[in-house]
């Protein structure tokens, strides 16, 4: 715990920790959704899409690491029980029960769009109040924006491959 580091936070630290824990829970769910989807995926372009899903899984886990570190810095405790992830996460978990490539892409695109909304609001909340968390949210947001584009671009390729031109 860093006392001066916490003093310069111009907002309620307990509330901030709670919001960071929500994002932290989402990252674990996103990690698992990607990780398992990459194992189960079926259909055209499955190898290319599986490689991207696996990479995104590792990047989501890294977001979780960054958030856990910030929560600890703020004197908080990252959610200790996976059972709480569903209740805390602002973004839903979409089980890869239908492993068709197009379905997995759509599910993960929706997840990225939820993540983008969540990190944008974390930035709005911390702007001019907590520069460290603001910068962290920006770093993660940049990668979520990249994720959305990666998946939408794969979906576009899949649609072209299947002769659908309007996606
Ligand atoms: Fe993430
Ligand atoms: Fe992402
Ligand atoms: Mg990517």
């Amino acid at each position: 715990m860093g006392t001066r580091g916490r003093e310069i936070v111009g907002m309620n630290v307990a509330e901030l920790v709670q919001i960071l824990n929500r994002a932290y829970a989402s990252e674990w769910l996103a990690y698992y959704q990607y990780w398992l989807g990459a194992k189960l995926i079926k259909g055209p372009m499955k190898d290319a899409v599986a490689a991207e899903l696996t990479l995104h899984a590792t990047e989501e886990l890294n977001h979780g690491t960054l958030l856990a570190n910030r929560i600890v810095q703020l004197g908080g405790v990252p959610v200790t029980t996976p059972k709480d992830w569903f209740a805390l996460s602002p973004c839903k978990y979409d089980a890869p029960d239908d492993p068709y490539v197009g379905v997995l892409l759509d599910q993960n695109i929706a997840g990225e769009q939820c993540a983008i909304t969540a990190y944008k609001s974390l930035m709005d909340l911390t702007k001019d109040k907590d520069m460290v968390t603001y910068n962290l949210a920006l770093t993660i947001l940049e990668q979520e924006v990249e994720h959305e584009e990666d998946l939408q671009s794969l979906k576009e390729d899949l649609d072209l491959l299947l002769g659908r031109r309007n996606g």
Side-chain angles (χ1 to χ4, degrees), residues 95-110:
D97 290 325
D98 179 350
Y100 178 67
V101 57
V103 173
L104 294 187
L105 283 171
D106 284 342
Q107 286 177 338
N108 287 304
I109 288 166

PDB file of all heavy atoms in Angstrom, residues 95-110:
ATOM      1  N   ALA A  95     -21.332 -18.226 -23.130  1.00  0.00           N
ATOM      2  CA  ALA A  95     -20.721 -19.555 -23.234  1.00  0.00           C
ATOM      3  C   ALA A  95     -20.609 -19.982 -24.698  1.00  0.00           C
ATOM      4  O   ALA A  95     -21.552 -19.786 -25.467  1.00  0.00           O
ATOM      5  CB  ALA A  95     -21.564 -20.566 -22.471  1.00  0.00           C
ATOM      6  N   PRO A  96     -19.467 -20.550 -25.080  1.00  0.00           N
ATOM      7  CA  PRO A  96     -19.314 -20.992 -26.473  1.00  0.00           C
ATOM      8  C   PRO A  96     -20.009 -22.334 -26.725  1.00  0.00           C
ATOM      9  O   PRO A  96     -19.391 -23.286 -27.190  1.00  0.00           O
ATOM     10  CB  PRO A  96     -17.785 -21.082 -26.640  1.00  0.00           C
ATOM     11  CG  PRO A  96     -17.276 -21.358 -25.272  1.00  0.00           C
ATOM     12  CD  PRO A  96     -18.221 -20.695 -24.309  1.00  0.00           C
ATOM     13  N   ASP A  97     -21.297 -22.403 -26.396  1.00  0.00           N
ATOM     14  CA  ASP A  97     -22.052 -23.652 -26.556  1.00  0.00           C
ATOM     15  C   ASP A  97     -22.276 -23.995 -28.019  1.00  0.00           C
ATOM     16  O   ASP A  97     -22.397 -25.152 -28.374  1.00  0.00           O
ATOM     17  CB  ASP A  97     -23.397 -23.541 -25.827  1.00  0.00           C
ATOM     18  CG  ASP A  97     -23.213 -23.529 -24.317  1.00  0.00           C
ATOM     19  OD1 ASP A  97     -22.302 -24.226 -23.822  1.00  0.00           O
ATOM     20  OD2 ASP A  97     -23.964 -22.816 -23.628  1.00  0.00           O
ATOM     21  N   ASP A  98     -22.380 -22.950 -28.861  1.00  0.00           N
ATOM     22  CA  ASP A  98     -22.417 -23.155 -30.308  1.00  0.00           C
ATOM     23  C   ASP A  98     -21.047 -22.729 -30.826  1.00  0.00           C
ATOM     24  O   ASP A  98     -20.733 -21.535 -30.842  1.00  0.00           O
ATOM     25  CB  ASP A  98     -23.526 -22.308 -30.927  1.00  0.00           C
ATOM     26  CG  ASP A  98     -23.575 -22.468 -32.452  1.00  0.00           C
ATOM     27  OD1 ASP A  98     -22.644 -23.066 -33.037  1.00  0.00           O
ATOM     28  OD2 ASP A  98     -24.554 -21.979 -33.044  1.00  0.00           O
ATOM     29  N   PRO A  99     -20.181 -23.687 -31.197  1.00  0.00           N
ATOM     30  CA  PRO A  99     -18.793 -23.361 -31.523  1.00  0.00           C
ATOM     31  C   PRO A  99     -18.577 -22.869 -32.959  1.00  0.00           C
ATOM     32  O   PRO A  99     -17.435 -22.704 -33.383  1.00  0.00           O
ATOM     33  CB  PRO A  99     -18.073 -24.693 -31.307  1.00  0.00           C
ATOM     34  CG  PRO A  99     -19.106 -25.722 -31.654  1.00  0.00           C
ATOM     35  CD  PRO A  99     -20.447 -25.139 -31.269  1.00  0.00           C
ATOM     36  N   TYR A 100     -19.679 -22.625 -33.699  1.00  0.00           N
ATOM     37  CA  TYR A 100     -19.522 -22.144 -35.081  1.00  0.00           C
ATOM     38  C   TYR A 100     -18.791 -20.791 -35.093  1.00  0.00           C
ATOM     39  O   TYR A 100     -19.105 -19.887 -34.307  1.00  0.00           O
ATOM     40  CB  TYR A 100     -20.887 -22.025 -35.773  1.00  0.00           C
ATOM     41  CG  TYR A 100     -20.771 -21.484 -37.173  1.00  0.00           C
ATOM     42  CD1 TYR A 100     -20.135 -22.227 -38.182  1.00  0.00           C
ATOM     43  CD2 TYR A 100     -21.237 -20.213 -37.488  1.00  0.00           C
ATOM     44  CE1 TYR A 100     -19.986 -21.717 -39.458  1.00  0.00           C
ATOM     45  CE2 TYR A 100     -21.097 -19.697 -38.770  1.00  0.00           C
ATOM     46  CZ  TYR A 100     -20.471 -20.457 -39.756  1.00  0.00           C
ATOM     47  OH  TYR A 100     -20.316 -19.942 -41.018  1.00  0.00           O
ATOM     48  N   VAL A 101     -17.829 -20.675 -35.985  1.00  0.00           N
ATOM     49  CA  VAL A 101     -16.947 -19.504 -36.025  1.00  0.00           C
ATOM     50  C   VAL A 101     -17.707 -18.170 -36.038  1.00  0.00           C
ATOM     51  O   VAL A 101     -17.351 -17.231 -35.318  1.00  0.00           O
ATOM     52  CB  VAL A 101     -15.941 -19.628 -37.207  1.00  0.00           C
ATOM     53  CG1 VAL A 101     -16.646 -19.794 -38.536  1.00  0.00           C
ATOM     54  CG2 VAL A 101     -14.978 -18.476 -37.254  1.00  0.00           C
ATOM     55  N   GLY A 102     -18.772 -18.100 -36.832  1.00  0.00           N
ATOM     56  CA  GLY A 102     -19.531 -16.841 -36.926  1.00  0.00           C
ATOM     57  C   GLY A 102     -20.215 -16.495 -35.607  1.00  0.00           C
ATOM     58  O   GLY A 102     -20.296 -15.320 -35.222  1.00  0.00           O
ATOM     59  N   VAL A 103     -20.690 -17.505 -34.921  1.00  0.00           N
ATOM     60  CA  VAL A 103     -21.361 -17.281 -33.632  1.00  0.00           C
ATOM     61  C   VAL A 103     -20.342 -16.811 -32.588  1.00  0.00           C
ATOM     62  O   VAL A 103     -20.586 -15.840 -31.856  1.00  0.00           O
ATOM     63  CB  VAL A 103     -22.078 -18.567 -33.150  1.00  0.00           C
ATOM     64  CG1 VAL A 103     -22.632 -18.398 -31.745  1.00  0.00           C
ATOM     65  CG2 VAL A 103     -23.192 -18.944 -34.127  1.00  0.00           C
ATOM     66  N   LEU A 104     -19.189 -17.477 -32.538  1.00  0.00           N
ATOM     67  CA  LEU A 104     -18.154 -17.066 -31.573  1.00  0.00           C
ATOM     68  C   LEU A 104     -17.692 -15.636 -31.853  1.00  0.00           C
ATOM     69  O   LEU A 104     -17.501 -14.842 -30.919  1.00  0.00           O
ATOM     70  CB  LEU A 104     -16.947 -18.020 -31.617  1.00  0.00           C
ATOM     71  CG  LEU A 104     -17.185 -19.461 -31.152  1.00  0.00           C
ATOM     72  CD1 LEU A 104     -15.860 -20.208 -31.090  1.00  0.00           C
ATOM     73  CD2 LEU A 104     -17.895 -19.516 -29.812  1.00  0.00           C
ATOM     74  N   LEU A 105     -17.521 -15.313 -33.141  1.00  0.00           N
ATOM     75  CA  LEU A 105     -17.100 -13.937 -33.460  1.00  0.00           C
ATOM     76  C   LEU A 105     -18.143 -12.933 -32.982  1.00  0.00           C
ATOM     77  O   LEU A 105     -17.799 -11.937 -32.339  1.00  0.00           O
ATOM     78  CB  LEU A 105     -16.848 -13.795 -34.973  1.00  0.00           C
ATOM     79  CG  LEU A 105     -15.529 -14.391 -35.476  1.00  0.00           C
ATOM     80  CD1 LEU A 105     -15.480 -14.405 -37.007  1.00  0.00           C
ATOM     81  CD2 LEU A 105     -14.325 -13.617 -34.917  1.00  0.00           C
ATOM     82  N   ASP A 106     -19.420 -13.209 -33.263  1.00  0.00           N
ATOM     83  CA  ASP A 106     -20.476 -12.272 -32.826  1.00  0.00           C
ATOM     84  C   ASP A 106     -20.503 -12.115 -31.305  1.00  0.00           C
ATOM     85  O   ASP A 106     -20.632 -11.002 -30.789  1.00  0.00           O
ATOM     86  CB  ASP A 106     -21.851 -12.756 -33.301  1.00  0.00           C
ATOM     87  CG  ASP A 106     -22.066 -12.491 -34.800  1.00  0.00           C
ATOM     88  OD1 ASP A 106     -21.325 -11.654 -35.373  1.00  0.00           O
ATOM     89  OD2 ASP A 106     -22.964 -13.127 -35.386  1.00  0.00           O
ATOM     90  N   GLN A 107     -20.361 -13.223 -30.593  1.00  0.00           N
ATOM     91  CA  GLN A 107     -20.374 -13.155 -29.122  1.00  0.00           C
ATOM     92  C   GLN A 107     -19.215 -12.306 -28.604  1.00  0.00           C
ATOM     93  O   GLN A 107     -19.377 -11.483 -27.701  1.00  0.00           O
ATOM     94  CB  GLN A 107     -20.233 -14.560 -28.524  1.00  0.00           C
ATOM     95  CG  GLN A 107     -21.487 -15.413 -28.642  1.00  0.00           C
ATOM     96  CD  GLN A 107     -21.270 -16.813 -28.103  1.00  0.00           C
ATOM     97  OE1 GLN A 107     -20.128 -17.287 -28.023  1.00  0.00           O
ATOM     98  NE2 GLN A 107     -22.341 -17.483 -27.725  1.00  0.00           N
ATOM     99  N   ASN A 108     -18.045 -12.528 -29.189  1.00  0.00           N
ATOM    100  CA  ASN A 108     -16.877 -11.794 -28.695  1.00  0.00           C
ATOM    101  C   ASN A 108     -16.870 -10.337 -29.136  1.00  0.00           C
ATOM    102  O   ASN A 108     -16.364  -9.470 -28.409  1.00  0.00           O
ATOM    103  CB  ASN A 108     -15.594 -12.535 -29.081  1.00  0.00           C
ATOM    104  CG  ASN A 108     -15.400 -13.800 -28.250  1.00  0.00           C
ATOM    105  OD1 ASN A 108     -15.378 -13.746 -27.029  1.00  0.00           O
ATOM    106  ND2 ASN A 108     -15.313 -14.942 -28.892  1.00  0.00           N
ATOM    107  N   ILE A 109     -17.462 -10.055 -30.298  1.00  0.00           N
ATOM    108  CA  ILE A 109     -17.615  -8.650 -30.711  1.00  0.00           C
ATOM    109  C   ILE A 109     -18.510  -7.926 -29.697  1.00  0.00           C
ATOM    110  O   ILE A 109     -18.188  -6.823 -29.243  1.00  0.00           O
ATOM    111  CB  ILE A 109     -18.185  -8.544 -32.148  1.00  0.00           C
ATOM    112  CG1 ILE A 109     -17.124  -8.967 -33.177  1.00  0.00           C
ATOM    113  CG2 ILE A 109     -18.687  -7.127 -32.432  1.00  0.00           C
ATOM    114  CD1 ILE A 109     -17.659  -9.238 -34.587  1.00  0.00           C
ATOM    115  N   ALA A 110     -19.602  -8.574 -29.311  1.00  0.00           N
ATOM    116  CA  ALA A 110     -20.505  -7.969 -28.315  1.00  0.00           C
ATOM    117  C   ALA A 110     -19.750  -7.736 -26.994  1.00  0.00           C
ATOM    118  O   ALA A 110     -19.919  -6.699 -26.347  1.00  0.00           O
ATOM    119  CB  ALA A 110     -21.729  -8.851 -28.095  1.00  0.00           C
TER     120      ALA A 110
END
